[in-house]
Amino acid sequence: MLAPNNPALKSWLEIPASSDFSIQNIPFGVFQTGAHGPRGCTAMGAYVVNLGMLHDLGYFNGIVMPPDVFKQPYLNTFIAMGKERTRAVRQRISDIFKANSPYPLKDNSEHQQHVLTPMYEAEMLMPVFVRDYTDFYSSEYHAFNVGTMFRGPENALMPNWKHLPVGYHGRASTIYVSGTDVHRPFGQLKADDSDPVYGQSKLLDFELEMGFIIGKGNEMGQQISTAEAEDYIFGMVLFNDWSARDIQKWEYVPLGPFLGKSFASTASPWIVTLDALAPFRVAGPPQNPPVLDYLKYSGKKGFDIHLEVMLETEQGHEKVICQSNHKYLYWNIAQQLAHHTVNGCKVEVGDMMASGTISGPEEGSYGSMLEITWRGSKPVEMPDGTSRKFIQDGDTVYMRGWAEKEGVRVGFGEVKNKVVNRS
């Protein structure tokens, strides 16, 4: 067990048991305030911890890092230092904040004023510069539900689905951080009995996903095996891959998603490291038929991460409409990366790979409005008496995720986005 993961660790900071940001978590992000520009940070309870200031004050002495590594707009340079040094930083942060810390921060109020910022005063920014983005389709429950709607249960899964992690190349330039408004997109729409028309999407949907961030690159032509894959993955984020179902339906044959997806995707501001998630590993589901050799793996590659989606109307009425879990993925992150690079594809630090919608086995665990309302035939009834087949203007979608075990909670915060109409 890595020392920062010890469930017995307590912090000298007061951290409620319900906080996503326990001393065992130590996620990484970027924030700014009115007093300074972007700074690398972590979260501890209700505080954002300024890592740039900790560095300036000498708390990272002995760890070789560029002097400005935490004073950049993104974490790419920090992540590119490699797991040995980023792990050392996480260990040092744990030592600084543990109850019996040998470091002076716990007793130095002046240092605390420089280092600790209440979360409500911090503006969280996109944590990495996303060089490239791939979205997978890795939940069997989701793929079966969607396939059943359009092709019937006998032909729900396409012939290749259980042989490889299906994916498509998405648009990195429109990945935004939580809190960014999502504009209802325009595109071509076509009803079954009419010619296509130009207009705004009427079937706007969320997709409950998780993404992982590439922590080191490979060379062009170099394959990354399932055994090596996690050495190339820095950590994970919550992810909402927004979808315009009506635009997507008309355009996706033969080359797949395009304008129905590329208008917006949103990520949580906190990257939770694979190290922090290690205590929450679980075995993946049986894979039948057996996969090809390059997709075989050993060990526990799934994660028991509880996921939920809450929908809020413009008037403030809220309802939790989905409760799912990362462990439901059929294809794990090691298999996704191994398949992505089996042809020699080059990946780079900061690249993002998303899971695809994570749906569970029963109603209540479906990760999109398309499934929750079953193509609009079962509208979601809201507390104010209104109903939703898809997401309406003024609605806000919240996604939250956390793992919990032995009294320790490791969470991701939230992805929150309001839908606005720019017409």
Side-chain angles (χ1 to χ4, degrees):
M1 180 175 61
L2 294 169
N5 294 356
N6 186 343
L9 277 181
K10 302 296 181 184
S11 175
W12 51 263
L13 270 179
E14 185 177 347
I15 302 178
S18 59
S19 172
D20 277 355
F21 306 116
S22 61
I23 192 172
Q24 289 83 4
N25 189 346
I26 313 178
F28 292 94
V30 176
F31 83 116
Q32 66 183 12
T33 68
H36 62 74
R39 295 289 188 272
C41 62
T42 188
M44 197 68 64
Y47 293 94
V48 172
V49 179
N50 187 330
L51 299 181
M53 185 58 66
L54 277 180
H55 193 285
D56 288 347
L57 292 170
Y59 284 89
F60 293 127
N61 286 350
I63 303 175
V64 178
M65 294 187 286
D68 64 344
V69 68
F70 295 122
K71 296 181 180 179
Q72 300 182 20
Y74 301 106
L75 292 173
N76 295 53
T77 300
F78 169 69
I79 293 170
M81 295 192 315
K83 283 203 174 183
E84 182 178 349
R85 281 194 281 172
T86 60
R87 186 171 284 154
V89 170
R90 182 170 177 262
Q91 174 70 67
R92 183 66 58 84
I93 295 168
S94 176
D95 290 341
I96 292 168
F97 283 94
K98 66 185 182 182
N100 59 342
S101 174
Y103 292 90
L105 185 63
K106 66 177 181 178
D107 299 314
N108 192 321
S109 59
E110 182 181 354
H111 281 193
Q112 289 179 27
Q113 288 178 5
H114 293 300
V115 169
L116 300 177
T117 299
M119 283 198 175
Y120 63 83
E121 294 181 7
E123 179 187 357
M124 298 306 301
L125 306 175
M126 191 69 193
V128 291
F129 178 75
V130 181
R131 301 177 184 277
D132 222 331
Y133 161 54
T134 298
D135 190 39
F136 287 96
Y137 193 45
S138 294
S139 165
E140 182 179 2
Y141 297 117
H142 172 66
F144 182 84
N145 287 340
V146 174
T148 297
M149 290 179 209
F150 294 98
R151 295 182 297 274
E154 301 81 8
N155 300 302
L157 297 182
M158 299 299 284
N160 64 351
W161 199 91
K162 286 200 169 183
H163 292 275
L164 55 86
V166 174
Y168 74 93
H169 184 251
R171 186 70 183 170
S173 63
T174 43
I175 297 177
Y176 304 106
V177 74
S178 173
T180 307
D181 287 345
V182 171
H183 297 272
R184 185 174 294 273
F186 288 82
Q188 286 197 24
L189 317 172
K190 185 184 181 305
D192 293 338
D193 56 353
S194 64
D195 292 332
V197 298
Y198 170 76
Q200 274 191 307
S201 170
K202 297 178 177 63
L203 308 182
L204 186 60
D205 201 356
F206 63 82
E207 291 194 344
L208 172 62
E209 305 194 17
M210 295 197 71
F212 63 85
I213 308 297
I214 294 297
K216 72 175 180 179
N218 61 334
E219 298 297 325
M220 188 175 74
Q222 175 192 353
Q223 300 174 347
I224 299 172
S225 69
T226 56
E228 300 169 309
E230 291 187 3
D231 293 336
Y232 288 80
I233 298 172
F234 176 70
M236 298 175 67
V237 295
L238 292 174
F239 198 77
N240 184 349
D241 190 31
W242 291 88
S243 296
R245 299 296 184 188
D246 38 8
I247 296 174
Q248 183 180 359
K249 178 184 176 183
W250 172 230
E251 73 180 2
Y252 83 99
V253 176
L255 295 182
F258 184 36
L259 300 183
K261 294 278 196 173
S262 62
F263 61 96
S265 299
T266 48
S268 60
W270 297 109
I271 306 173
V272 177
T273 63
L274 292 192
D275 284 350
L277 292 170
F280 309 100
R281 289 181 178 273
V282 293
Q287 294 185 325
N288 188 33
V291 299
L292 296 179
D293 284 348
Y294 80 94
L295 289 170
K296 291 178 180 177
Y297 68 94
S298 61
K300 296 179 178 179
K301 300 296 186 183
F303 295 94
D304 184 6
I305 303 171
H306 176 83
L307 303 169
E308 72 174 30
V309 181
M310 185 179 75
L311 181 61
E312 180 184 42
T313 69
E314 194 163 24
Q315 291 72 36
H317 300 280
E318 303 173 347
K319 184 174 184 177
V320 173
I321 59 174
C322 168
Q323 292 184 315
S324 187
N325 196 296
H326 188 268
K327 67 184 179 183
Y328 293 140
L329 287 181
Y330 186 87
W331 297 104
N332 61 56
I333 60 176
Q335 291 177 309
Q336 291 167 18
L337 185 55
H339 182 65
H340 200 302
T341 61
V342 73
N343 67 344
C345 176
K346 180 175 173 56
V347 297
E348 298 183 301
V349 172
D351 284 359
M352 185 173 289
M353 315 282 177
S355 60
T357 304
I358 305 175
S359 293
E362 66 254 330
E363 290 186 32
S365 63
Y366 297 164
S368 67
M369 292 294 283
L370 179 66
E371 297 166 88
I372 293 168
T373 70
W374 209 257
R375 296 183 71 184
S377 65
K378 301 177 181 179
V380 172
E381 301 299 328
M382 296 299 291
D384 61 355
T386 63
S387 63
R388 298 290 186 278
K389 296 181 179 180
F390 289 90
I391 304 301
Q392 296 183 7
D393 295 341
D395 287 349
T396 299
V397 175
Y398 296 79
M399 293 181 177
R400 301 186 177 100
W402 66 90
E404 202 158 9
K405 183 181 179 181
E406 297 180 359
V408 172
R409 181 175 171 120
V410 170
F412 292 78
E414 67 181 16
V415 173
K416 169 189 175 183
N417 299 97
K418 184 176 182 176
V419 173
V420 298
N421 195 320
R422 64 182 180 182
S423 62

